[in-house]
Amino acid sequence: MGVPPAIEVLKERATLLRESLQKSQTITGNMVDILGSFDHRLSALEAAMRPTQVRTHAIRRAHENIDKTLKSADVILVQFDITRQAEAKILRGPHEDLESYLEAIDQLRRNVQFFTSNKTFKWSDGVLNHANILLSKAIMKLEEEFRQLLSTFSKPVEPDRLFECLPSSLRPSAGSPGQQGEGERKPSSASNSDQQGKSLETAIYKPPTLIPPRLLPLLHDLALQTIQAGKQDQCVKIYCETRSSALEQSLRKLGVEKLSKEDVQKMPWEVLEAKIGNWIHYMRIAVKLLFAAERKICDQIFDGINVLKDRCFAEVTADSVLMLFSFGDAIAKSKRSPEKLFVLLDMYEIMRELHSEIETIFEGKACSETRDAAHNLSRRLAQTAQETFGDFEEAVEKDATKTAVLDGTVHPLTSYVINYVKFLFDYQSTLKQLFQEFEKAGEDSNSQLATVTMRIMQALQSNLDGKSKQYKDPALTYLFIMNNIHYMVRSVRRSEAKDLLGDDWVQRHRRIVQQNANQYKRVAWAKILQSLSVQGQSSSGGSVPAGSDGGNSSGVSRATIKERLKSFNMQFEELHQRQSQWTVPDPELRESLRLAVAEVLLPAYRSFIKRFGPLIDSGKNPQKYVRYTPEDLERMLGEFFEGKTWNEQKR
């Protein structure tokens, strides 16, 4: 049986496949042999090339080192060039081009830093020494430039220039340079009313330009460079000495003096009062103008260096502040006297007015002593003023002046005390503040001021009662009290004291005035009025029959009438002579008193003459007894209380 065709085909293909595999194995073997031979040749080639590769790598490394060296040399050469350029600028000095000079110092500092970081360079030590010496010279020149610029532009400010910076209301009048009107004021013209106080609060002050603004950035840079170079103390010393001197000279040119307590005690009051007024003016100028301007330039020159900024300002102003405050302190510690109260209040006022500005201008820890000194001075002035107030009350009560007013007019003590009290009311707000300094919180300051004022008035009244006892004539005693209490009442009614003391006080004292007027009238005129009275008299020889004189029904003798008229004439002439020398200074009160006397005297005299005149007219020399008509008496009463001298009366 034959083989199937399919199997035959399969066999043939298997034979071909086997032959192909054998050929492939043979080729692979040949390739392996060839590759093995090629690897051997490559190894031989690599071995042959290795010396060349080593030389090439060495050359490349040498090139890299050369490049690095050239680059380093270039950097070093640049630093040398920078040093040379900086040295040229520094040797020229900062005066011509300060900005370029400061830039050269910065370059030199960077140069020093470079060589300090590259000490491996064999010449670095020499270069460093040279750069440091150059830098030291540069800083010295900076110090000198800082000193020179400050000195050149730190000139004292002339008074006229300062006055121009003041509000117009505070500028001195023409012809009185360096003097403010306040120094010559009396208490009555003190500018302490609320309205004037408000106008001062809103007044505009324009601090002067102490150093040209264009120089401040340069001075700032100079100061900063000097401080960065470790010369902080030298910089501060230069600044403080220069500016302190200029500030102190500005104040001295203005008129500020350094006076001790002993100097103050020796001065006549008029001189001291003027100096106190000027001191108040100087304080405003110093704080609002000079210190404010000084603070501004100090802040700008030492901008960013806060510790030094406050320290320098404190040192610059220290002597000037001491010079100003020492005078205030001397006044506060000097011997107290009533007339000093108003200037003490003026000084206390100015310290309170400047309080917030002092706190602002003298901010910082370094200025704390100045702030404390201002507070302590204000406190001492307040305390001395309060003690002076107490002294005044006691002095009024115990005043023992022997100067009597012979005419019964207002005593100088009365006018002095009343004017004093009126002046005090110009200081109401200040006094209330002063009371609050020492009294318990919550107490009504109005009530305190009223109480103090009433005590002063009562002390005055008690003293006047004692002085009135000096008069031998009781009528003059009552007239004296009437005049003085009336002066007190009138003055109070016309002043702000009325609102404080109240209507009750006014009405009570008006009654005292009326009571004393009535007492005067009773004591002075009772006796003369008795001489015009004929009650209880019986008729005798020489009498006129009842009814024969047209109304005379008393049956009084002619001799009695003559005696009464002689007595009346003598008494009236004596009263006229004496009381024409007495004084009632107030026109209304004087006229009122004359009218009160006339209302009693003239009707009695008219009645007496009407009833008994015919008796005298029918006898001898009637004009010897009836010397005056009622009109004559009225005219002569118009001469009472005029304070005429005896010679004036005779004329």
Side-chain angles (χ1 to χ4, degrees):
M1 188 170 133
V3 179
I7 294 173
E8 286 297 327
V9 171
L10 186 62
K11 285 181 177 179
E12 287 176 3
R13 289 181 179 178
T15 302
L16 289 171
L17 182 60
R18 188 165 47 249
E19 288 174 356
S20 295
L21 285 172
Q22 287 175 352
K23 285 180 181 180
S24 177
Q25 287 176 350
T26 302
I27 291 169
T28 300
N30 292 333
M31 285 298 294
V32 168
D33 291 339
I34 291 168
L35 288 172
S37 173
F38 185 70
D39 182 60
H40 178 72
R41 286 195 297 271
L42 283 175
S43 296
L45 179 62
E46 183 180 350
M49 289 180 66
R50 187 172 293 116
T52 303
Q53 289 176 340
V54 170
R55 285 195 299 274
T56 302
H57 181 70
I59 290 169
R60 188 184 301 116
R61 289 287 303 273
H63 276 294
E64 288 176 357
N65 289 335
I66 289 169
D67 287 341
K68 287 182 180 179
T69 302
L70 288 173
K71 287 178 181 179
S72 297
D74 189 50
V75 170
I76 292 168
L77 288 173
V78 167
Q79 294 301 320
F80 273 111
D81 190 51
I82 289 172
T83 302
R84 183 181 57 76
Q85 291 174 6
E87 182 174 8
K89 291 178 182 178
I90 286 168
L91 291 176
R92 282 197 301 270
H95 192 66
E96 292 180 4
D97 185 357
L98 180 59
E99 189 175 351
S100 176
Y101 188 85
L102 294 176
E103 184 183 343
I105 290 177
D106 284 337
Q107 290 172 340
L108 201 56
R109 283 203 180 100
R110 290 193 294 270
N111 188 271
V112 168
Q113 187 177 5
F114 171 81
F115 284 107
T116 303
S117 304
N118 294 274
K119 286 204 170 183
T120 54
F121 179 58
K122 67 176 182 178
W123 291 330
S124 61
D125 289 341
V127 173
L128 271 174
N129 289 337
H130 179 70
N132 281 323
I133 290 170
L134 197 57
L135 197 56
S136 178
K137 287 180 180 179
I139 298 303
M140 287 178 64
K141 288 187 177 183
L142 275 186
E143 282 183 41
E144 188 55 38
E145 183 69 9
F146 186 61
R147 186 195 308 276
Q148 187 176 347
L149 271 178
L150 268 181
S151 299
T152 301
F153 293 96
S154 292
K155 302 300 180 185
V157 186
E158 293 298 326
D160 287 345
R161 187 171 156 220
L162 288 172
F163 297 150
E164 289 172 1
C165 300
L166 290 171
S168 56
S169 60
L170 290 176
R171 293 175 190 173
S173 57
S176 57
Q179 298 290 326
Q180 166 67 3
E182 280 181 83
E184 300 169 1
R185 296 179 313 170
K186 299 297 180 187
S188 58
S189 62
S191 57
N192 298 294
S193 67
D194 290 339
Q195 183 178 357
Q196 287 167 319
K198 287 177 183 176
S199 68
L200 284 177
E201 287 176 10
T202 57
I204 297 174
Y205 295 80
K206 300 175 182 176
T209 301
L210 301 181
I211 293 177
R214 63 183 175 80
L215 290 177
L216 294 174
L218 294 178
L219 288 168
H220 169 264
D221 290 342
L222 285 169
L224 193 62
Q225 291 283 352
T226 308
I227 291 164
Q228 287 176 350
K231 302 289 185 176
Q232 175 176 303
D233 291 342
Q234 291 91 322
C235 178
V236 169
K237 184 179 179 183
I238 291 168
Y239 182 82
C240 292
E241 285 180 353
T242 307
R243 291 305 311 160
S244 175
S245 175
L247 180 59
E248 196 169 342
Q249 286 180 59
S250 297
L251 289 174
R252 290 192 183 280
K253 278 178 171 283
L254 191 63
V256 178
E257 303 172 86
K258 188 173 183 179
L259 298 172
S260 66
K261 178 183 171 183
E262 291 71 25
D263 295 329
V264 167
Q265 294 284 47
K266 294 174 186 176
M267 283 183 192
W269 168 240
E270 294 76 13
V271 175
L272 184 58
E273 186 182 21
K275 286 188 180 295
I276 291 170
N278 286 332
W279 179 84
I280 290 167
H281 189 47
Y282 300 153
M283 281 297 297
R284 279 201 186 97
I285 289 176
V287 174
K288 292 177 177 286
L289 299 181
L290 287 172
F291 292 160
E294 199 67 54
R295 182 82 214 200
K296 185 177 179 181
I297 64 167
C298 191
D299 286 354
Q300 288 182 269
I301 291 174
F302 293 100
D303 183 33
I305 319 170
N306 291 335
V307 175
L308 276 191
K309 181 167 61 178
D310 291 342
R311 173 187 161 189
C312 286
F313 180 70
E315 290 187 24
V316 164
T317 54
D319 288 343
S320 296
V321 167
L322 178 63
M323 188 162 59
L324 285 163
F325 285 8
S326 63
F327 178 78
D329 203 50
I331 297 296
K333 292 178 179 178
S334 63
K335 186 179 179 181
R336 298 193 300 270
S337 60
E339 65 269 16
K340 284 185 183 176
L341 178 59
F342 299 105
V343 294
L344 285 167
L345 292 174
D346 283 335
M347 294 172 78
Y348 175 70
E349 273 188 348
I350 194 62
M351 292 305 297
R352 284 202 55 75
E353 178 189 325
L354 299 174
H355 172 73
S356 61
E357 282 161 297
I358 289 174
E359 290 289 312
T360 302
I361 294 170
F362 291 91
E363 64 177 351
K365 186 177 179 181
C367 297
S368 61
E369 287 188 13
T370 299
R371 296 195 303 274
D372 291 344
H375 174 74
N376 292 337
L377 175 56
S378 180
R379 182 86 176 172
R380 275 193 296 274
L381 289 167
Q383 185 174 355
T384 306
Q386 191 181 51
E387 290 168 355
T388 304
F389 215 147
D391 293 346
F392 178 68
E393 181 186 338
E394 184 179 350
V396 170
E397 188 169 6
K398 295 182 178 179
D399 177 75
T401 52
K402 300 298 182 183
T403 307
V405 284
L406 301 177
D407 58 357
T409 189
V410 176
H411 197 280
L413 177 66
T414 304
S415 56
Y416 176 73
V417 171
I418 293 301
N419 284 336
Y420 202 90
V421 170
K422 283 163 65 179
F423 299 155
L424 283 176
F425 278 88
D426 287 336
Y427 295 85
Q428 277 195 73
S429 58
T430 305
L431 287 168
K432 290 171 188 176
Q433 184 64 46
L434 188 142
F435 289 138
Q436 290 172 9
E437 289 263 9
F438 300 99
E439 301 296 336
K440 295 178 182 177
E443 286 194 26
D444 183 4
S445 54
N446 274 330
S447 168
Q448 290 174 284
L449 186 55
T451 301
V452 170
T453 306
M454 284 184 180
R455 286 206 311 260
I456 290 174
M457 292 294 202
Q458 186 55 50
L460 173 60
Q461 199 169 336
S462 299
N463 190 288
L464 291 172
D465 286 339
K467 282 180 167 48
S468 70
K469 304 294 191 295
Q470 297 175 358
Y471 298 109
K472 294 179 181 179
D473 190 332
L476 188 54
T477 295
Y478 293 120
L479 192 79
F480 173 77
I481 294 295
M482 178 199 73
N483 275 329
N484 283 270
I485 301 299
H486 178 267
Y487 182 85
M488 292 167 64
V489 171
R490 187 190 64 176
S491 299
V492 166
R493 287 179 66 193
R494 294 178 178 178
S495 73
E496 296 178 66
K498 183 182 180 233
D499 295 332
L500 203 63
L501 296 177
D503 287 332
D504 287 346
W505 186 94
V506 172
Q507 295 304 324
R508 188 167 66 252
H509 285 77
R510 287 181 73 176
R511 286 195 294 272
I512 294 173
V513 172
Q514 190 58 52
Q515 288 165 5
N516 279 274
N518 292 338
Q519 287 291 80
Y520 154 78
K521 192 167 60 176
R522 181 184 63 79
V523 171
W525 297 93
K527 187 177 179 182
I528 194 171
L529 288 171
Q530 284 177 1
S531 66
L532 297 176
S533 172
V534 291
Q535 292 179 3
Q537 298 291 334
S538 59
S539 61
S540 58
S543 65
V544 177
S548 65
D549 62 355
N552 178 14
S553 59
S554 60
V556 180
S557 69
R558 182 181 286 112
T560 301
I561 298 303
K562 287 181 178 180
E563 191 61 36
R564 291 301 176 89
L565 284 170
K566 282 175 65 179
S567 175
F568 174 84
N569 292 335
M570 182 181 68
Q571 288 184 68
F572 185 78
E573 286 165 3
E574 183 183 344
L575 285 169
H576 177 265
Q577 178 186 332
R578 186 165 65 253
Q579 294 197 29
S580 294
Q581 297 178 60
W582 295 358
T583 302
V584 177
D586 183 77
E588 291 183 11
L589 182 61
R590 182 169 64 243
E591 195 56 39
S592 171
L593 198 59
R594 288 170 180 167
L595 184 59
V597 172
E599 285 175 348
V600 175
L601 180 65
L602 295 182
Y605 187 73
R606 284 192 182 99
S607 176
F608 188 87
I609 295 300
K610 184 177 181 181
R611 293 177 64 191
F612 303 113
L615 273 177
I616 303 303
D617 290 340
S618 62
K620 294 179 179 180
N621 300 320
Q623 68 277 5
K624 179 179 177 181
Y625 302 102
V626 184
R627 293 183 185 177
Y628 306 106
T629 65
E631 290 73 24
D632 291 333
L633 293 182
E634 187 173 10
R635 177 184 55 77
M636 294 176 75
L637 282 175
E639 297 175 350
F640 277 50
F641 319 125
E642 290 285 354
K644 293 181 178 180
T645 64
W646 174 242
N647 289 332
E648 288 176 320
Q649 290 183 50
K650 288 195 294 185
R651 285 200 297 273

